[in-house]
Amino acid sequence: MQITPAVRMGLSVSVATGLYGISFGALGIAAGLSVLQTQALSALMFTGGSQFAFVGAIAGGGAPALVSASLLGIRNLIYGAQMNAAFAPRGLTRLLQAHVTIDESVATSVAQDIAEEQRRGFWSAGLGVFILWNLFTLLGAVLGNALGDPKTWGLDGAAVAAFLGLLWPRLHNRDTVAIAVASAFVTLLLVPVLAPGLPLLAAAAVAAGMSLWLGRRATR
């Protein structure tokens, strides 16, 4: 693959996100899963936030977290429709694309202005995150509790920083800033009162609604 700005962005995001897999691996073992079970979740489930919610359900023995894991995974349906329309994959490529359609691959793709760069960004981030997430999940699972609290390593901050790095260049006018601020406000307002996953869906609905409204206003 040619090393372009989109590929470099995808690889950078992959490193930042993949490192956080150490945290998931350690938490999976702490919840009572085996190394193989923890690794299987990263390889087959591969949905980040939903994996953490699922492990939380196992550790707490409660069904609400399982519901939250499902709700967090719903966003991938929206991403999948968007990426399918953009790339129109076929055959086995379609299955692979579906599996690596995650926050990072979609965000890296839409951050590009050229169609070919969008494709490169998607695959470099999607495959990069998948490989590194699984490698670091294995490392975290093998080391287990020896790592201590994963938050003390700042790995959660690395993932957040990667998203902010993708978002910031897109805030190039008042409309995009307004959408970002409104979505963030709705998320902060709903996080304390709704189950995990629902605030994210609400913020996505707000962003979509504002985009449609601002688009129609601009055409008048």
Side-chain angles (χ1 to χ4, degrees):
M1 181 182 292
Q2 183 180 356
I3 303 300
T4 67
V7 173
R8 286 194 291 271
M9 178 183 291
L11 295 178
S12 298
V13 169
S14 298
V15 172
T17 306
L19 282 169
Y20 199 32
I22 295 178
S23 174
F24 176 74
L27 289 174
I29 298 301
L33 296 177
S34 67
V35 172
L36 182 58
Q37 289 170 330
T38 302
Q39 191 66 45
L41 281 176
S42 279
L44 302 176
M45 195 174 190
F46 188 52
T47 52
S50 297
Q51 291 179 225
F52 282 101
F54 185 81
V55 167
I58 295 174
L66 289 175
V67 175
S68 299
S70 300
L71 290 173
L72 284 167
I74 289 176
R75 71 192 188 279
N76 288 345
L77 294 175
I78 303 173
Y79 295 157
Q82 182 181 2
M83 293 297 98
N84 186 65
F87 302 147
R90 296 182 179 181
L92 294 178
T93 300
R94 188 173 189 176
L95 294 176
L96 180 58
Q97 179 176 310
H99 196 56
V100 298
T101 296
I102 54 175
D103 298 316
E104 292 79 7
S105 59
V106 174
T108 304
S109 179
V110 300
Q112 314 306 317
D113 297 321
I114 303 173
E116 190 57 35
E117 281 288 84
Q118 291 175 351
R119 189 181 300 275
R120 292 191 183 105
F122 174 87
W123 286 111
S124 60
L127 294 176
V129 170
F130 180 79
I131 293 170
L132 293 180
W133 180 265
N134 277 276
L135 286 175
F136 283 108
T137 291
L138 179 60
L139 179 61
V142 171
L143 294 178
N145 293 330
L147 288 171
D149 185 356
K151 291 184 178 180
T152 62
W153 294 77
L155 299 177
D156 50 342
V160 174
F163 274 114
L164 288 177
L166 289 172
L167 174 63
W168 188 258
R170 310 304 295 175
L171 305 180
H172 49 71
N173 58 50
R174 288 182 296 179
D175 287 351
T176 54
V177 171
I179 292 172
V181 170
S183 298
F185 178 76
V186 168
T187 302
L188 291 173
L189 190 67
L190 296 180
V191 162
V193 297
L194 294 181
L198 288 178
L200 181 63
L201 295 178
V206 168
M210 287 189 65
S211 297
L212 289 174
W213 179 70
L214 291 171
R216 290 175 180 175
R217 189 188 65 175
T219 58
R220 292 177 181 175

